[in-house]
């Protein structure tokens, strides 16, 4: 597994930054869900964001879920990540096909349409923290930038990208999140904005062979970049027969009795990893 995230600071802690390379993770999701090119791009971008936002979590068992619901043909995307750079995700309509944009890029915003982004942070408290914002473009990076600014009051630059081979396999995937903390000066913000504006796309940087470290060095090298941590990242689903059993039990006695009386085994699929779990009527009786 060659995917990883780096966590860094710059400007004496005035800036915090995350950068990730996620090619293997997105390829894994593509092969599990058999996603079309535009669905691979949409899911890959949101999973890359989820991974970086997962590493912002403080607690060992904390989880973050990003949900996009839109009126476009893809329907929606769900991604869950933990604080150890494990991520899983799926899209509602993985086979969606849609014309590329005039510039040849995959039309992620066209596939998503208008809608809402929901961020659910589960930190083991009674109630999870839930933030909602409207989608501003459906391109995901811009939507998250808007989310950070309005819901968390943290000015941020978010770049996310997925580049495909002609075979539709994942050629590059990755991104960065750079956040300005309150002690940032106006001069610093201006200089940083200029630097970020000079980047054409995150996938072109990755495709030129730059590592996440080199990408952050390029953006923040003039501001005293200090890399704090490098974390291996991967697609990982934590579903198990035990968990699925609990979900089946939660259907309620009446529903279960109906199924048992029909005498046929039932199959339950995990949305995230497409694993099948079969329960026979005898197992359901237990
Ligand atoms: Zn699963």
């Amino acid at each position: 597994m060659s995917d990883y995230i780096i966590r860094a600071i710059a400007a004496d802690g005035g800036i915090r930054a995350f950068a990730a390379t996620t090619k293997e993770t997105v390829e894994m999701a593509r092969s599990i869900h058999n996603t079309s090119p535009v669905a691979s791009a949409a899911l890959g971008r949101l999973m890359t964001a989820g991974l970086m936002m997962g590493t912002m979590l403080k607690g060992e068992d904390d989880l973050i879920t990003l949900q996009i619901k839109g009126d476009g043909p893809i329907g929606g995307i769900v991604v869950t990540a933990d604080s150890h750079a494990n991520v899983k995700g799926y899209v509602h309509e993985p086979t969606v096909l849609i014309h590329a944009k005039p510039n040849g890029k995959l039309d992620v915003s066209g596939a998503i349409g208008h809608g809402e982004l929901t961020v659910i942070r589960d930190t083991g408290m009674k109630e999870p923290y839930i933030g909602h914002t409207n989608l501003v473009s459906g391109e995901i990076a811009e939507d998250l930038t808007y989310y950070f600014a309005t819901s968390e009051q943290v000015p941020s630059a978010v770049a996310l990208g997925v580049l495909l081979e002609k075979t539709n396999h994942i050629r590059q995937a990755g991104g960065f999140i750079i956040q300005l903390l309150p002690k940032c000066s106006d001069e610093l913000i201006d200089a940083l904005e200029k630097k970020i504006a000079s980047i054409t796309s995150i996938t072109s940087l990755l495709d030129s062979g730059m590592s996440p470290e080199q990408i952050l060095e390029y953006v923040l090298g003039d501001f005293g970049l200090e890399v704090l941590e490098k974390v291996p990242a991967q697609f990982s689903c934590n579903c198990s027969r035990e968990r699925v059993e609990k979900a089946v039990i939660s259907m309620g006695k009446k529903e279960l009795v109906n199924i048992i009386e029909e005498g046929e085994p039932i199959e339950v699929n995990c949305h995230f990893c497409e694993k099948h779990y079969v329960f026979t009527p005898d197992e359901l009786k237990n």
Side-chain angles (χ1 to χ4, degrees):
M1 180 63 65
S2 53
D3 288 354
Y4 63 92
I5 301 169
I6 56 166
R7 201 163 62 78
I9 54 168
D12 294 326
I15 295 171
R16 71 169 183 169
F18 305 83
T21 178
T22 56
K23 175 186 159 177
E24 306 288 331
T25 305
V26 179
E27 175 58 30
M28 181 76 145
R30 189 205 64 75
S31 71
I32 288 172
H33 298 299
N34 203 12
T35 42
S36 67
V38 74
S40 301
L43 179 58
R45 287 184 197 176
L46 196 63
M47 287 201 322
T48 301
L51 276 171
M52 291 189 281
M53 291 170 77
T55 60
M56 295 175 188
L57 298 166
K58 303 239 159 39
E60 281 287 303
D61 302 322
D62 291 2
L63 292 174
I64 190 158
T65 296
L66 307 178
Q67 288 177 348
I68 285 179
K69 274 190 194 144
D71 60 6
I74 210 166
I77 316 172
V78 181
V79 162
T80 297
D82 65 15
S83 57
H84 307 283
N86 296 300
V87 69
K88 58 183 181 178
Y90 65 92
V91 301
H92 291 188
E93 295 295 338
T95 56
V96 58
L97 290 172
I98 179 168
H99 285 294
K101 289 183 182 177
N103 64 6
K105 290 203 168 173
L106 291 165
D107 191 1
V108 170
S109 58
I112 290 175
H114 301 285
E116 201 181 48
L117 166 72
T118 304
V119 177
I120 303 162
R121 224 184 280 120
D122 186 351
T123 57
M125 310 289 269
K126 252 189 196 155
E127 299 289 331
Y129 164 85
I130 302 177
H132 291 286
T133 48
N134 287 326
L135 298 176
V136 287
S137 75
E139 289 289 336
I140 303 182
E142 285 165 36
D143 304 310
L144 282 163
T145 303
Y146 181 73
Y147 162 80
F148 283 124
T150 55
S151 205
E152 300 194 2
Q153 286 81 47
V154 183
S156 308
V158 182
L160 301 167
V162 175
L163 185 68
L164 303 189
E165 300 278 9
K166 286 209 168 65
T167 57
N168 294 338
H169 288 267
I170 310 302
R171 181 179 169 94
Q172 297 293 347
F176 64 70
I177 299 175
I178 294 169
Q179 300 194 310
L180 303 175
L181 303 177
K183 58 177 174 175
C184 256
S185 69
D186 288 346
E187 293 80 16
L188 184 73
I189 293 169
D190 287 346
L192 187 60
E193 276 177 353
K194 280 200 187 101
K195 195 82 197 185
I196 289 171
S198 75
I199 297 173
T200 45
S201 81
I202 181 79
T203 46
S204 62
L205 297 184
L206 290 164
D207 212 35
S208 73
M210 284 172 81
S211 65
E213 289 90 335
Q214 287 167 325
I215 290 169
L216 284 193
E217 182 64 35
Y218 174 76
V219 181
L220 296 170
D222 298 341
F223 308 98
L225 176 71
E226 196 184 325
V227 174
L228 303 175
E229 195 184 13
K230 177 174 171 175
V231 190
Q234 53 274 313
F235 187 103
S236 168
C237 187
N238 57 348
C239 70
S240 65
R241 197 170 170 85
E242 218 181 350
R243 277 167 183 259
V244 175
E245 233 169 60
K246 278 189 189 144
V248 170
I249 290 166
S250 73
M251 287 162 65
K253 201 170 175 182
K254 205 175 147 204
E255 186 71 15
L256 284 174
V257 167
N258 280 340
I259 296 170
I260 292 164
E261 279 172 357
E262 279 170 20
E264 297 284 334
I266 60 159
E267 189 179 290
V268 183
N269 297 342
C270 173
H271 284 306
F272 286 102
C273 69
E274 304 286 350
K275 211 168 160 186
H276 308 295
Y277 295 91
V278 177
F279 294 90
T280 63
D282 277 344
E283 285 171 322
L284 291 174
K285 269 180 209 160
N286 287 333

